[in-house]
């Protein structure tokens, strides 16, 4: 019983149930602490939605992270299959069994043998076995995996339902925290089959595995936790062998990042001046412009500045190969190859198409964790948008942004706009509220000549120059020059200039030429 | 041929007592002198139940002769019990299923 631990209720209000940490990354955040302690939670999902993995991770974490023994009651997969299937996640169930930290109750049907029924029966033997297993190892966590598989084993499903109800009540009496997994036939509609949800209706978690733009997208939703707070709605999650289940908590991400007033250089001195002395160290910068405006150059300057000041930089390329990135950089006088050899730079090139955005996010977080850079750049961020729906793209950006900020790292993302002359792309509206600084690069057509204009559209928490400045690109890099004076409408792509301005321009024409 | 039978029950519930009674009757009628019955209470021996993967009680396990077979329920359906023990009337041409009535 958990009376003595009730005192440890920290952030939960009185009357709320205590939570049991699952140790599943992100899940405890959306569950506001974990599963309702001492209760049963139903996890329902279609085939392949990840029910068993989540249940087993809950159990394995109990043993390895919280020293809480667990019992698996398996109705579908044999114990041997279970042990083998999760070996790749690094969960050594066999070792836990040997250590007396885990017990498995094998409730799978015996192959090839039809059980003969003669007269009335109940499932007391199963109940006795479960209770015995719990007592024997002092289990705190129990999972009943794929209870649906119990029904075909017996001709009378009402008996099975009654007995499951009894098991459910019995487990509650023993004070263990239980996860029951149940197969659904459909992604929408009722919770599950066989009426199991009728008696474990207090706490229900739904897993979904939908096709989204030809990619599988897994989501988890806490439908309800009776008497316990939790985040509403669906959250994406991933399953991979390194980290097991990772829920991406998005809106639940705490906006607690410390904000730093330390500034770092963008690599372009004049741009630093326009930003009031450089970029904030823990800020996210978005560089947005049409193709050819110099986004990749901005990234290169930013990486160069990191290398110059001895900071580690991590560059994610999503459109160009390593060789292209290296060659571009060397054209602008940056030796990325040497920097990588020196261990101060890492370039990771992954085309967006190779995996889902959720998996990209996990991989990128892992790269960041492994390399521990002071600066991260993604060139380009908008490339990821074309392989996803708007929703998962937004979640991806939020997830990456919050991770970067949390580590007090500077992030620079590029965004390719579809319109050549200004305008705004979907990506900008998606990302702009999340980023701290937005730098716009625009083509400006003046008197039939294509010129380039740069402006700092927004910069959180500081003064910045509001002018639109002309810049040129040569093989030394980017050179920011004077503001476009008297020209309006550059950002909308339809620049107009006043007559007076035109006259002065004509007056200055020859001077212009001599200035080179 | 000796029939080795094991009956799993739960304490002294109605089902348990009925199953013991029904089993004894069938054995006396059809297997007199060539059967052994072992009654096991799953509440006292959950480990045995685990090893033999017993789910329901009562469960009758025919351990010998092979094949091993399980019959669940209070064994009130005599035909099914006989079928499960490979003693169904079709196999028992020379048997006398309806002769004795007293038993045990």
């Amino acid at each position: 019983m958990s009376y003595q631990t009730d005192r440890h209720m920290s952030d939960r209000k009185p009357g709320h149930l205590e939570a049991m940490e699952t140790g599943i990354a992100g899940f405890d955040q959306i569950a506001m602490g974990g599963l309702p302690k001492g209760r049963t939670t139903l996890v329902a999902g279609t085939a392949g939605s990840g029910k068993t993995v989540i249940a087993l991770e809950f159990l394995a974490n109990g043993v390895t992270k919280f020293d809480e023994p667990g019992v698996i009651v398996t109705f579908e997969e044999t114990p041997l299959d279970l042990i083998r299937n999760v070996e790749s996640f690094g969960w050594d169930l066999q070792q836990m069994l040997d250590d007396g930290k885990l017990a498995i109750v094998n409730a799978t049907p015996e192959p090839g043998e039809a059980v003969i029924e003669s007269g009335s029966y109940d499932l007391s033997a199963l109940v006795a076995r479960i209770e015995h297993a719990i007592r024997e190892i002092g289990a705190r966590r129990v999972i009943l995996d794929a209870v649906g598989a119990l029904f075909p084993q017996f001709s009378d499903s009402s008996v099975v339902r009654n007995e499951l109800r009894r098991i459910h009540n019995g487990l509650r009496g023993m004070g263990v925290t239980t996860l029951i997994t149940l197969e659904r036939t459909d992604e929408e509609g009722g919770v599950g089959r066989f009426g199991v949800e009728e008696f474990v209706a207090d706490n229900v978690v739904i897993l979904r595995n939908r096709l989204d733009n030809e990619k599988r997208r897994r989501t988890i939703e806490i439908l309800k936790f009776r008497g316990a707070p939790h985040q509403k709605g669906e959250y994406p999650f991933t399953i991979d062998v390194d980290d097991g289940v990772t829920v991406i908590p998005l809106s639940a991400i705490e906006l607690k990042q410390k904000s730093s007033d330390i500034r770092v250089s963008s690599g372009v001195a004049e741009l630093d001046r326009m930003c009031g002395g450089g970029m904030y160290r823990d800020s996210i910068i978005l560089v947005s412009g049409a193709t050819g405006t110099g986004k990749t150059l901005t990234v290169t300057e930013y990486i160069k500045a990191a290398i110059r000041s001895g900071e580690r930089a991590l560059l994610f390329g999503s459109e160009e190969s390593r060789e292209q990135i290296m060659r571009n950089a060397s054209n602008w006088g940056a030796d990325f190859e040497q920097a990588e050899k020196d261990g101060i730079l890492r370039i990771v090139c992954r085309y967006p198409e190779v995996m889902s955005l959720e998996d990209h996010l996990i991989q990128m977080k892992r790269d960041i964790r492994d390399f521990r850079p002071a600066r991260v750049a993604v060139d380009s961020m908008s490339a990821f948008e074309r392989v996803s729906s708007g929703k998962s793209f937004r979640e991806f950006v939020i997830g990456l942004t919050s991770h970067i900020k949390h580590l007090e790292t500077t992030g620079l993302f590029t965004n390719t706009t579809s319109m050549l002359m200004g305008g705004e792309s979907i990506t900008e509206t998606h990302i702009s509220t999340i980023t701290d600084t937005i730098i716009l690069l625009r083509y400006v057509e003046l008197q039939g000549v294509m010129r380039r204009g740069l402006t700092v559209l927004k910069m959180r928490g500081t003064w910045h120059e509001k002018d639109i400045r002309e810049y040129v690109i040569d093989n030394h890099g980017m050179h920011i020059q004077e503001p476009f004076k008297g020209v309006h409408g550059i950002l909308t792509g339809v620049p107009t200039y006043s007559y007076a301005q035109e006259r002065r321009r004509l007056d200055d024409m020859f001077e212009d030429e001599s200035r080179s | 041929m000796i029939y080795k039978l094991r009956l799993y029950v739960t304490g002294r519930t109605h089902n348990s007592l009925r199953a013991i009674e029904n089993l004894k009757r069938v054995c006396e009628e059809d297997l007199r002198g060539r059967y052994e019955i072992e009654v096991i209470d799953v509440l006292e021996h959950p480990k045995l139940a685990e090893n033999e993967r017993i789910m329901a009680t009562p469960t009758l396990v025919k351990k010998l002769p092979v094949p091993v077979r399980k019959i669940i329920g209070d064994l009130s359906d005599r035909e099914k019990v006989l079928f499960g023990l490979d003693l169904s009337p079709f196999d028992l041409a020379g048997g006398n299923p309806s002769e004795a009535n007293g038993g045990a």
Side-chain angles (χ1 to χ4, degrees), chain A residues 415-431:
Chain A
N415 170 55
T416 307
T417 51
S418 47
M419 292 165 73
L420 217 51
M421 308 293 292
E424 198 179 5
S425 86
I426 303 163
T427 311
E428 265 173 23
T429 54
H430 269 140
I431 311 180

Side-chain angles (χ1 to χ4, degrees), chain B residues 72-88:
Chain B
I72 63 172
D74 63 7
L75 309 178
S76 54
D77 185 337
R78 191 168 178 277
E79 294 301 309
K80 290 233 175 104
V81 178
L82 291 175
F83 177 76
L85 294 174
D86 298 321
L87 291 172
S88 83

Side-chain angles (χ1 to χ4, degrees), chain B residues 4 9 15-16 22 37-38 44 54 68 71 79 81 92 96 101-102:
Chain B
K4 291 192 84 162
V9 296
N15 273 348
S16 304
N22 287 334
I37 298 176
E38 191 185 3
E44 287 168 29
I54 305 300
V68 174
I71 306 165
E79 294 301 309
V81 178
L92 282 169
N96 44 359
N101 261 338

Side-chain angles (χ1 to χ4, degrees), chain A residues 391-404:
Chain A
K391 187 161 184 280
S392 59
F393 178 68
R394 188 176 165 82
E395 289 167 352
F396 168 74
V397 177
I398 295 174
L400 187 63
T401 306
S402 62
H403 187 71
I404 291 174

Side-chain angles (χ1 to χ4, degrees), chain A residues 282-303:
Chain A
D282 59 354
S283 68
I284 303 291
I285 304 142
L286 179 70
V287 177
S288 181
T291 176
T293 46
K295 295 184 300 296
T296 299
L297 172 60
T298 316
V299 170
T300 306
E301 298 285 8
Y302 165 84
I303 300 277

Side-chain angles (χ1 to χ4, degrees), chain A residues 108 110 116 118 120 122 129, chain B residues 15 53-54 57 70 72 75:
Chain A
T108 60
E110 286 178 71
I116 298 159
S118 168
S120 68
D122 57 39
R129 287 163 63 191
Chain B
N15 273 348
R53 289 162 69 179
I54 305 300
T57 50
K70 286 177 184 166
I72 63 172
L75 309 178

Side-chain angles (χ1 to χ4, degrees), chain A residues 221-504:
Chain A
E221 176 186 12
I222 298 174
L223 204 61
K224 51 179 160 175
F225 272 0
R226 188 157 293 170
H230 61 271
Q231 301 283 344
K232 312 281 190 296
E234 290 182 40
Y235 294 87
F237 74 96
T238 59
I239 298 176
D240 71 35
V241 292
D242 286 335
D243 294 322
V245 174
T246 308
V247 179
I248 302 162
L250 301 177
S251 58
I253 289 171
E254 297 167 54
L255 289 170
K256 273 194 201 156
Q257 293 102 358
K258 286 170 280 180
S259 62
S260 156
D261 47 14
I262 300 168
R263 303 238 189 188
V264 297
S265 170
S266 67
V268 180
E270 193 57 34
L271 183 58
D272 288 346
R273 268 194 292 280
M274 290 175 72
C275 293
M279 310 296 175
Y280 285 120
R281 195 180 64 186
D282 59 354
S283 68
I284 303 291
I285 304 142
L286 179 70
V287 177
S288 181
T291 176
T293 46
K295 295 184 300 296
T296 299
L297 172 60
T298 316
V299 170
T300 306
E301 298 285 8
Y302 165 84
I303 300 277
K304 256 166 78 178
I307 295 170
R308 240 190 341 259
S309 58
E311 295 175 328
R312 296 157 83 88
L314 180 55
L315 169 60
F316 292 104
S318 59
E319 284 181 326
E320 292 174 305
S321 67
R322 295 178 65 80
E323 290 68 31
Q324 281 172 299
I325 291 173
M326 299 269 192
R327 195 183 56 220
N328 289 344
S330 72
N331 285 345
W332 288 312
D335 192 349
F336 278 5
E337 214 166 335
Q338 187 58 43
E340 263 206 313
K341 276 193 197 116
D342 296 341
I344 199 163
L345 171 67
R346 182 176 291 175
I347 301 174
V348 177
C349 289
R350 263 186 228 115
Y351 290 107
E353 285 80 3
V354 297
M355 53 179 118
S356 73
L357 276 193
E358 288 79 16
D359 288 316
H360 271 293
L361 179 57
I362 300 292
Q363 288 289 342
M364 289 163 93
K365 280 183 171 181
R366 198 172 291 148
D367 292 328
I368 292 168
R369 185 178 67 199
D370 292 346
F371 191 64
R372 284 178 288 109
R375 295 189 186 203
V376 174
V378 181
D379 188 24
S380 79
M381 187 58 109
S382 45
F384 288 101
E385 193 178 13
R386 59 169 193 259
V387 297
S388 70
S389 66
K391 187 161 184 280
S392 59
F393 178 68
R394 188 176 165 82
E395 289 167 352
F396 168 74
V397 177
I398 295 174
L400 187 63
T401 306
S402 62
H403 187 71
I404 291 174
K405 295 189 87 168
H406 185 73
L407 296 172
E408 290 186 58
T409 302
T410 322
L412 183 123
F413 306 153
T414 67
N415 170 55
T416 307
T417 51
S418 47
M419 292 165 73
L420 217 51
M421 308 293 292
E424 198 179 5
S425 86
I426 303 163
T427 311
E428 265 173 23
T429 54
H430 269 140
I431 311 180
S432 58
T433 51
I434 303 158
T435 53
D436 301 296
T437 303
I438 299 178
I439 297 166
L440 294 184
L441 306 178
R442 289 287 188 255
Y443 284 115
V444 185
E445 189 203 327
L446 286 178
Q447 284 88 44
V449 179
M450 272 297 201
R451 292 153 78 168
R452 294 181 174 104
L454 175 151
T455 187
V456 179
L457 189 68
K458 121 175 165 184
M459 191 163 170
R460 220 166 252 165
T462 184
W463 170 91
H464 63 90
E465 196 178 302
K466 274 92 178 168
D467 285 335
I468 300 172
R469 302 271 291 261
E470 179 163 14
Y471 67 96
V472 293
I473 295 173
D474 61 20
N475 47 15
H476 298 293
M478 177 184 276
H479 307 280
I480 299 175
Q481 302 174 336
E482 293 304 302
F484 288 99
K485 282 279 190 285
V487 186
H488 311 282
I490 289 175
L491 294 183
T492 60
V494 195
T496 53
Y497 31 92
S498 56
Y499 176 72
Q501 189 61 31
E502 180 69 4
R503 263 191 63 181
R504 205 166 77 211

Side-chain angles (χ1 to χ4, degrees), chain A residues 155-288:
Chain A
S155 64
D156 189 349
S157 58
S158 70
V159 169
V160 179
R161 204 159 27 240
N162 278 338
E163 295 300 299
L164 279 175
R165 186 194 305 268
R166 207 169 106 206
I167 291 170
H168 169 246
N169 291 339
L171 292 170
R172 188 163 170 170
M174 294 178 87
V176 293
T177 306
T178 307
L179 245 176
I180 295 182
T181 72
L182 180 67
E183 188 151 314
R184 305 176 81 197
T185 45
D186 226 318
E187 295 293 4
E188 313 301 331
V191 168
R193 301 161 66 189
F194 308 115
V196 176
E197 71 279 9
E198 285 167 21
F199 57 88
V200 281
D202 281 359
N203 310 302
V204 178
V205 173
I206 306 272
L207 306 181
R208 293 187 180 87
N209 186 15
R210 296 194 190 94
L211 269 180
D212 179 20
N213 250 8
E214 297 173 10
K215 292 266 187 324
R216 282 278 161 197
R217 181 177 140 85
R218 297 177 187 280
T219 63
I220 185 166
E221 176 186 12
I222 298 174
L223 204 61
K224 51 179 160 175
F225 272 0
R226 188 157 293 170
H230 61 271
Q231 301 283 344
K232 312 281 190 296
E234 290 182 40
Y235 294 87
F237 74 96
T238 59
I239 298 176
D240 71 35
V241 292
D242 286 335
D243 294 322
V245 174
T246 308
V247 179
I248 302 162
L250 301 177
S251 58
I253 289 171
E254 297 167 54
L255 289 170
K256 273 194 201 156
Q257 293 102 358
K258 286 170 280 180
S259 62
S260 156
D261 47 14
I262 300 168
R263 303 238 189 188
V264 297
S265 170
S266 67
V268 180
E270 193 57 34
L271 183 58
D272 288 346
R273 268 194 292 280
M274 290 175 72
C275 293
M279 310 296 175
Y280 285 120
R281 195 180 64 186
D282 59 354
S283 68
I284 303 291
I285 304 142
L286 179 70
V287 177
S288 181

